[in-house]
Amino acid sequence: MTAVQGTAVDIPTADGVADAYLVHPADGRPHPGVLFFQDAYGLRPHLRAMADRLAAAGYTVLVPNVFYRAGRAPVVPLGEFIDPSADPTLWERLGPLVGSVGAAEASRDADACLGWLADSPLVDDGPVAVTGYCMGARLALRVAATHPGRVAAAAGFHGGGLATDAPDSPHLGAGNITAELYFGHADQDHSLPEEQIRLLEETLTAAGVRHTCEVYEGARHGYTQADTPAYDREADERHWSALLGLLKRAL
């Protein structure tokens, strides 16, 4: 396996300074950039491990703390294993943080992160990819729409709220997207009901966006997160195969 090197970095943004995790192959050469968006539990050891695996495949990966406006990670301290059923206050603390990252905040943060990647000697001069999990899938879809000249591929896994009736729903930017998209939906996911899955698919098709939307049968919301009860090893490995295949095609 390719050796990787990870470090903490700070990304200046329009709203402050976002702490982030950067990891890349240890050869010191530039590689295609990947912007990796967290789930609602935030930047933590498991996400760093996921980013390390992605970097070992030949990419320079940036994982920003999207809750940086509320503090440096961990904004909400979590144990090694995250079980919401054992802590009834967890979502009382996380909910406002998730709600604080709307379309405008996501666009400003993407400007900063993509600009930082463009300036990094560890990132090659080509386009970048974006991947996201849970709330990060929404962010990935938004960034693909707001930065079409920069993003060649975007993926989202067990995402929620991708195609709602809100005036700023992420799917409404489909007409701007030039990237190839991949979504791996969980079929046991109250945050993305069947009607939203159908609307997302119909909207992407009507806009002529290259995309694949798959429903992972039996998978729960959060199936990629090994530090939670929702983890599903088979679905997680399927996600890695789909993600790496997308990146290889696009980058």
Side-chain angles (χ1 to χ4, degrees):
M1 180 177 291
T2 301
V4 302
Q5 182 176 346
T7 186
V9 298
D10 284 341
I11 312 294
T13 77
D15 298 332
V17 176
D19 52 308
Y21 179 64
L22 177 74
V23 61
H24 54 88
D27 56 17
R29 299 200 308 265
H31 293 272
V34 179
L35 181 55
F36 181 125
F37 284 123
Q38 65 178 62
D39 63 355
Y41 296 134
L43 181 54
R44 61 193 192 280
H46 175 62
L47 290 195
R48 293 184 182 94
M50 291 179 70
D52 290 351
R53 180 169 175 175
L54 198 49
Y59 302 96
T60 294
V61 186
L62 181 66
V63 192
N65 165 27
V66 302
F67 298 152
Y68 71 90
R69 294 172 183 83
R72 299 179 72 86
V75 178
V76 174
L78 302 165
E80 290 184 15
F81 189 77
I82 306 165
D83 185 357
S85 67
D87 183 358
T89 72
L90 181 59
W91 279 103
E92 293 176 12
R93 290 175 283 151
L94 289 174
L97 293 172
V98 174
S100 72
V101 187
E105 290 81 6
S107 180
R108 293 196 298 271
D109 291 351
D111 288 342
C113 290
L114 293 176
W116 193 93
L117 287 171
D119 291 339
S120 172
L122 295 169
V123 180
D124 68 21
D125 292 333
V128 303
V130 185
T131 187
Y133 302 83
C134 179
M135 65 172 289
R138 290 197 299 276
L139 297 176
L141 182 54
R142 290 194 191 282
V143 173
T146 56
H147 297 77
R150 189 83 174 92
V151 176
F157 300 92
H158 47 83
L162 298 176
T164 72
D165 57 5
D168 63 348
S169 176
H171 78 290
L172 296 175
N176 297 324
I177 295 174
T178 58
E180 180 181 352
L181 306 186
Y182 178 90
F183 289 98
H185 307 307
D187 75 342
Q188 299 179 41
D189 193 344
H190 68 275
S191 68
L192 193 75
E194 186 177 343
E195 58 268 22
Q196 285 197 38
I197 293 175
R198 185 169 56 250
L199 178 57
L200 176 64
E201 173 80 29
E202 291 171 351
T203 303
L204 294 175
T205 299
V209 177
R210 292 168 297 156
H211 70 280
T212 302
C213 294
E214 296 183 322
V215 177
Y216 289 21
E217 219 173 295
R220 297 162 61 190
H221 181 79
Y223 61 78
T224 63
Q225 304 302 301
D227 57 353
T228 77
Y231 182 64
D232 183 318
R233 182 178 298 276
E234 183 178 349
D236 184 32
E237 289 305 317
R238 180 178 175 183
H239 130 264
W240 279 111
S241 178
L243 176 58
L244 292 174
L246 172 68
L247 299 185
K248 185 175 182 179
R249 288 193 303 274
L251 300 183

